[in-house]
Amino acid sequence: LALTVASPAKLATPLVPRIVPAPLPTVYVYDHCPFCVRVRLALGIKNVKHNVHFLSNDDVETPTGLVGKKIAPIWVDREEAPMPESMDIIEKVDADAAFGAPGLIKPASGRTDLKAWQKTVQRAMRLTQRPRYVLSPLPEFMQYDARRAFIKNHFVPIGELDKPSWKELTQEEHDNYYAEAISMTADLIPQLNAALKELEPLIHSPQCVTEGGVSYDDIDTWARLRSLTIVKGLDFPTKVRAYLDYFAELGDVPLYDSMAC
């Protein structure tokens, strides 16, 4: 008896043929980290098969052994020295013929409107995303110590709090502020929904934020925008939603819709 399974309609056709290096390169990442997402997205756009190694958020030994400090992403390929820094990794991969035709990803346009939009939502994004990361089953937060490490190092911008003042607080105070950030959701959702409406006309099409094709503008914009899908109750305008879905499929980087809270 033959069984047939209906496949969902494809949103994104690969731009280039599949590249399967031998051995496969590995990228060390945190799932929530937009800088890590940049690299994963670029590899998906290039259609390069690779290994993804999710680091625990409290793992200092592994990244330090690779590049001398706790940082992600880290690119490990063949006998070459491990490489940190997202944009350096992407530039290297997109210039190497071993990973397909060089120059698939166009240069950044220098658009100031996209940067300005990111600044307008930075506070609301930190208040909504950071507490939700540690409440969600992300691979880097599977254990208690990993969640504690994240909270200790990531403040929520309530009142006059900043990085230095956050470090002076106790664990209980950290937890109280994270809980307070969650309690602010009802006020933050309308702010973010309004910002998403402002973003929609800045997106050229679902296939590229800037006219002319996939570029570093997409690498940066989509990696940041993806994080908002962890927030339940947001109303993504049609073009913004289509842009998110297109690059999630093209880049092979899932969104957070199924675990939004």
Side-chain angles (χ1 to χ4, degrees), residues 28-104:
Y28 290 76
V29 301
Y30 306 121
D31 189 85
H32 74 278
C33 167
F35 306 108
C36 300
V37 172
R38 286 175 176 176
V39 175
R40 295 170 62 194
L41 176 62
L43 291 168
I45 291 168
K46 295 282 291 182
N47 208 7
V48 175
K49 186 173 177 60
H50 57 284
N51 291 318
V52 180
H53 182 112
F54 292 105
L55 293 162
S56 179
N57 200 257
D58 64 329
D59 181 356
V60 176
E61 182 178 353
T62 300
T64 301
L66 290 169
V67 295
K69 60 181 176 179
K70 184 181 185 296
I71 191 173
I74 300 171
W75 171 255
V76 177
D77 180 35
R78 295 164 287 188
E79 301 302 317
E80 299 175 1
M83 173 183 283
E85 302 298 341
S86 61
M87 290 307 190
D88 290 346
I89 295 168
I90 296 168
E91 289 174 7
K92 174 180 174 57
V93 170
D94 199 28
D96 189 339
F99 303 115
L104 179 65

Side-chain angles (χ1 to χ4, degrees), residues 190-204:
Q191 294 178 32
L192 288 170
N193 281 338
L196 288 167
K197 288 182 179 179
E198 294 172 359
L199 175 64
E200 184 165 46
L202 305 185
I203 297 175
H204 173 69

Side-chain angles (χ1 to χ4, degrees), residues 6-221:
S7 298
K10 287 189 69 65
L11 299 171
T13 301
L15 303 179
V16 290
R18 185 69 157 164
I19 300 291
V20 183
L24 293 178
T26 297
V27 59
Y28 290 76
V29 301
Y30 306 121
D31 189 85
H32 74 278
C33 167
F35 306 108
C36 300
V37 172
R38 286 175 176 176
V39 175
R40 295 170 62 194
L41 176 62
L43 291 168
I45 291 168
K46 295 282 291 182
N47 208 7
V48 175
K49 186 173 177 60
H50 57 284
N51 291 318
V52 180
H53 182 112
F54 292 105
L55 293 162
S56 179
N57 200 257
D58 64 329
D59 181 356
V60 176
E61 182 178 353
T62 300
T64 301
L66 290 169
V67 295
K69 60 181 176 179
K70 184 181 185 296
I71 191 173
I74 300 171
W75 171 255
V76 177
D77 180 35
R78 295 164 287 188
E79 301 302 317
E80 299 175 1
M83 173 183 283
E85 302 298 341
S86 61
M87 290 307 190
D88 290 346
I89 295 168
I90 296 168
E91 289 174 7
K92 174 180 174 57
V93 170
D94 199 28
D96 189 339
F99 303 115
L104 179 65
I105 302 170
K106 299 180 185 300
S109 67
R111 288 177 59 180
T112 57
D113 54 351
L114 293 174
K115 294 295 183 185
W117 183 85
Q118 290 176 10
K119 287 185 179 179
T120 67
V121 297
Q122 184 182 68
R123 179 176 181 272
M125 288 180 74
R126 286 177 173 175
L127 285 168
T128 51
Q129 292 166 4
R130 288 180 173 179
R132 284 169 171 79
Y133 289 150
V134 292
L135 291 173
S136 304
L138 301 182
E140 58 265 40
F141 300 128
M142 284 292 103
Q143 295 179 300
Y144 176 82
D145 287 348
R147 297 190 290 275
R148 289 258 55 102
F150 180 86
I151 294 170
K152 182 179 179 180
N153 291 306
H154 293 82
F155 76 100
V156 285
I158 295 174
E160 300 300 316
L161 282 175
D162 56 14
K163 284 184 179 180
S165 60
W166 187 256
K167 293 183 181 298
E168 301 301 318
L169 301 179
T170 66
Q171 178 175 306
E172 182 178 1
E173 288 171 321
H174 286 162
D175 290 347
N176 288 339
Y177 276 117
Y178 265 56
E180 183 177 347
I182 289 289
S183 75
M184 297 167 66
T185 298
D187 294 326
L188 294 168
I189 291 290
Q191 294 178 32
L192 288 170
N193 281 338
L196 288 167
K197 288 182 179 179
E198 294 172 359
L199 175 64
E200 184 165 46
L202 305 185
I203 297 175
H204 173 69
S205 72
Q207 293 78 32
C208 54
V209 71
T210 300
E211 186 174 6
V214 176
S215 71
Y216 278 86
D217 291 359
D218 296 296
I219 296 296
D220 186 55
T221 301

